[in-house]
Every structure is written in structure tokens, then in C-alpha cells.
Amino acid sequence: MASDDQPKGERLDAWTPRPRPARARLSGRFCRLEPLHPATHADDLFAATAADPAGGIWTYLPYGPFADAAAYRTWIEEGYQGDDPLFFAIVDHASGKARGVAAFLRIDSAQGVIEIGHLVFSPALQRTTAASEAIYLLLKQAFALGYRRCEWKCNALNAPSRAAALRFGFKFEGVFRQAAVVKGCNRDTAWYSMIDKEWPAILATFEKWLAPGNFDATGRQRTALGDCMTMEAGG
């Protein structure tokens, strides 16, 4: 069979490499993402994560927990102010304090692929509108820059992260068995993705969920994000 007769996939003749995300603030209604800085964020983040004395938020990450704010600050200074991973502190508007961390990583601008990860949501951030809005802000930035694919990966045993991926509109792709050794334990990695063709509908769902009319006078959501995504998927 001649090579010209073999299937090759959709042609992308106009494709060009995508810009890398900038170290710049991303702002929403409930939170803002600021490039992670040791002097600005370490104390607040250590205090917020210390509210989880069992250290469960660090279980599936390759680092943490940290003994004190100075150790956390040193960790940031020694390797986590670069451009990949590109770390952000999640600052909720209500308190004005950093309550969590998220990052872009494995940024492949040539292929248009980017990952969201290194998620650390303190107890004060977990299950809040600000937490979900932080993911929305990262997704919006990635697709606004023209990336074709955004990935979410987590330990296959991390049930909350796997549920969150689906709630945010990612699709499950499979499990890479024995993908890594983390803190002396085997890690099977669950893969999720979202592609640019799916993003417009997901964006509309996020913005419908974030609209002021979806929240009562106390700030409680009327319709949960996961329910909005399910309704959208069902047409």
C-alpha cells in the first residue's frame, strides 16, 4: 500500500506551537491565582495546610508534609519558582490569604499539550466554590492560549482526585500500571484529558455554574458543578 493511501489523521496545516503560560495573576470572582512566591505565600500556605494534622492532603504527592513554614519556604525557593512546573498560590477573595496550590506542568507548547496538577487544597479551600473556580481559571488560560489538550493525572487510588476530574469535565482515558514509585510505594497513574473541541461546552457549563444566580444569599450553590456537567453531557 502506498503511503499516500494510509490514514494519517486530521490535517493541521495551520498549526503552530503555542505560547507558554506566563507567570501572571489569573483572577476570578471567588479567588485569584498568583505565581507562587516564598515570601508572599509560604506562611499562609503552611498555616492553611497545618489545619490537616493527619497530613492526608500530602499522601499522593511526592513531597510534604513540611515541619514548619521555614521548611515550606525553603522547598519553594529551591525548585518551585520555575516555568515548568509553573506554580500558583490560590488566594481566596474572602480571606485574602493563600489557601492552596495548583500548577501547570509538562508543558509541551510544540504539541499543544499541558497538564494541571500539583494540587494542594487546604481544609479551608476544599469543597469551596473558590477551589473549583481555580481549576476553571487554569483551564480557561490553557485553551485561550490555543492548547489542544489539557491533562489531569493522579494516583489511581486517589478517589477524590478522580471524582474531581470528572466533575470538572475531564474524560477518563485509562490507568498506566506501575508508572512510578512515590514515597516508597507503587503508583498506578489514572489519566484524564480534555481537548479543545470539548472546551466550549465545558466553558459554558462552568460559567453557568459560576453565575451569581446559581448562588443564594449565603453563597450556597443552587446546582452543583457536577450536576451541571452531567446535564450538559446529557444534552
Side-chain angles (χ1 to χ4, degrees):
M1 180 183 293
S3 61
D4 287 346
D5 296 327
Q6 292 176 301
K8 301 180 181 66
E10 177 187 0
R11 290 199 61 84
L12 300 172
D13 293 328
W15 172 257
T16 58
R18 299 294 84 200
R20 297 182 69 83
R23 291 183 58 81
R25 177 182 293 190
L26 304 173
S27 294
R29 288 182 56 220
F30 299 93
C31 73
R32 62 183 182 272
L33 275 59
E34 300 176 350
L36 185 63
H37 191 279
T40 305
H41 302 120
D43 289 349
D44 284 350
L45 286 170
F46 178 76
T49 56
D52 173 28
I57 58 179
W58 304 104
T59 298
Y60 298 112
L61 290 165
Y63 45 77
F66 298 91
D68 50 38
Y72 193 10
R73 192 178 306 114
T74 298
W75 173 79
I76 298 172
E77 291 170 344
E78 288 182 348
Y80 292 91
Q81 293 186 89
D83 295 327
D84 191 354
L86 175 56
F87 274 83
F88 294 90
I90 303 169
V91 180
D92 78 275
H93 289 325
S95 68
K97 294 184 179 296
R99 299 300 196 198
V101 172
F104 284 130
L105 66 153
R106 301 184 186 275
I107 302 166
D108 188 342
S109 58
Q111 302 301 323
V113 179
I114 194 168
E115 181 178 343
I116 291 173
H118 289 286
L119 300 176
V120 179
F121 288 2
S122 71
L125 186 62
Q126 293 170 12
R127 296 178 294 278
T128 66
T129 306
S132 296
E133 186 183 49
I135 302 302
Y136 157 79
L137 291 171
L138 290 170
L139 287 167
K140 187 176 181 181
Q141 177 72 349
F143 288 112
L145 291 171
Y147 281 78
R148 303 177 63 235
R149 170 183 169 90
C150 186
E151 297 178 337
W152 178 291
K153 304 187 188 87
C154 62
N155 190 306
L157 298 175
N158 189 346
S161 183
R162 297 188 67 166
L166 297 175
R167 186 169 68 251
F168 296 139
F170 288 84
K171 294 187 184 300
F172 176 59
E173 293 187 325
V175 173
F176 281 35
R177 300 176 299 163
Q178 296 188 185
V181 178
V182 178
K183 292 178 175 174
C185 296
N186 173 66
R187 168 172 156 149
D188 295 345
T189 297
W191 283 54
Y192 297 79
S193 72
M194 185 184 299
I195 60 174
D196 53 358
K197 295 178 179 66
E198 299 161 346
W199 173 241
I202 294 170
L203 171 63
T205 302
F206 262 114
E207 294 188 340
K208 179 180 179 180
W209 175 74
L210 285 165
N214 190 43
F215 297 87
D216 64 21
T218 67
R220 185 184 300 274
Q221 62 184 348
R222 301 181 192 277
T223 304
L225 177 59
D227 292 338
C228 289
M229 290 291 177
T230 300
M231 288 187 286
E232 176 62 34

